[in-house]
Amino acid sequence: MNVINVHDAKTNFSKLLERVARGERIIIGKSGKPVARLEPYSNSKAIHGQFKGGNLELQAHTKHKLTPEYLNELADSKYDG
């Protein structure tokens, strides 16, 4: 993982945006530690349309469909104490 420090990110922000526009994800850090990620914008409605019907399985050995409700449930459980 290549971490770009805050000063370099501020100095080269336009160039970083060009890289992101080409699909790259960029990690920005402070004192060498990652604190933020710059990534391409994703329209959630467009992604939602790809999963209509819930036909994708999370893993071969599970029965969970990748529905928006199930993904929200997973996200919420990640932040539960």
Side-chain angles (χ1 to χ4, degrees):
M1 166 176 55
N2 190 15
V3 179
I4 297 177
N5 72 49
V6 174
H7 176 74
D8 289 340
K10 289 191 320 187
T11 302
N12 299 298
F13 191 68
S14 293
K15 291 177 185 176
L16 294 178
L17 285 180
E18 289 173 13
R19 288 170 54 186
V20 168
R22 291 190 301 263
E24 189 174 343
R25 289 185 176 159
I26 298 181
I27 306 297
I28 300 172
K30 189 172 183 178
S31 301
K33 295 181 182 179
V35 294
R37 179 175 57 220
L38 189 60
E39 61 183 39
Y41 175 74
S42 175
N43 184 339
S44 62
K45 289 182 181 179
I47 290 172
H48 175 69
Q50 293 175 11
F51 294 108
K52 267 187 189 162
N55 293 325
L56 297 176
E57 292 186 2
L58 185 57
Q59 292 178 358
H61 65 276
T62 69
K63 302 287 185 201
H64 296 289
K65 303 289 184 182
L66 290 178
T67 62
E69 295 79 15
Y70 180 68
L71 294 173
N72 286 335
E73 192 177 305
L74 284 177
D76 289 343
S77 69
K78 178 180 178 181
Y79 298 105
D80 288 343

